[in-house]
């Protein structure tokens, strides 16, 4: 017998990551972290089947999180990352040098775009 517990769903051989228990008196399905040992009236589910789990009409699904599991990035995390990428891609403001500090004043330079500079005509 394999020491790894498998998903209880028919024809699924993936390793179990969660345990499903029904509380019939409360019409509730409780999905939590994998139980320490297999119970006869509990169902072990793989990641895919635990994510797609739905309960019968009129029942409630309670999902208990596993505090030891790695957390997924939230929308706020992804937005902060996108903002950081936008900020890094933004060209430096006028007057900033290549390292972000103020550049020495060059009376001939009007603007800069990448490695190109716009110079003022000596006549003006």
């Amino acid at each position: 017998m394999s020491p790894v517990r498998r998903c209880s769903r028919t024809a699924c051989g993936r390793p179990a990551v969660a345990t499903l228990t029904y509380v019939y008196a409360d019409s509730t399905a409780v999905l939590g972290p994998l139980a320490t040992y297999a119970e006869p009236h509990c169902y072990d589910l793989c990641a895919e089947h635990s994510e797609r789990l739905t309960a019968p009409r009129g029942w409630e699904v309670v999902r208990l999180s596993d505090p030891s599991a790695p957390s997924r990035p939230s929308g706020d995390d992804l937005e902060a990352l996108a903002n950081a990428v936008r900020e890094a891609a933004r060209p430096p403001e006028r007057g900033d040098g290549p390292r972000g500090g103020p550049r020495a004043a060059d009376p001939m330079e009007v603007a800069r775009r990448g490695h190109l500079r716009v110079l003022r005509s000596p006549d003006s």
Side-chain angles (χ1 to χ4, degrees):
M1 183 162 185
S2 173
V4 176
R5 290 176 22 209
R6 300 286 174 193
C7 183
S8 298
R9 294 290 303 259
T10 305
C12 181
R14 291 186 286 261
V17 297
T19 298
L20 172 66
T21 307
Y22 291 106
V23 182
Y24 294 97
D26 297 333
S27 300
T28 305
V30 180
L31 183 67
L34 190 62
T36 20
Y37 55 92
E39 295 267 352
H41 299 289
C42 295
Y43 303 92
D44 294 335
L45 299 176
C46 65
E48 180 182 344
H49 286 123
S50 64
E51 288 174 9
R52 295 185 349 195
L53 174 75
T54 59
R57 186 174 298 156
W59 282 58
E60 181 182 0
V61 177
V62 175
R63 296 179 186 269
L64 304 174
S65 62
D66 181 5
S68 65
S71 62
R72 292 184 175 172
S74 70
D76 292 339
D77 294 339
L78 296 175
E79 185 176 350
L81 179 61
N83 290 339
V85 169
R86 283 188 204 104
E87 181 69 27
R90 193 170 51 111
E93 293 181 17
R94 188 171 178 196
D96 286 352
R99 300 210 188 270
R103 182 176 56 216
D106 183 358
M108 298 297 289
E109 186 173 330
V110 175
R112 179 182 284 264
R113 170 88 95 209
H115 68 282
L116 301 174
R117 297 185 304 167
V118 177
L119 301 176
R120 186 181 325 226
S121 169
D123 298 341
S124 56

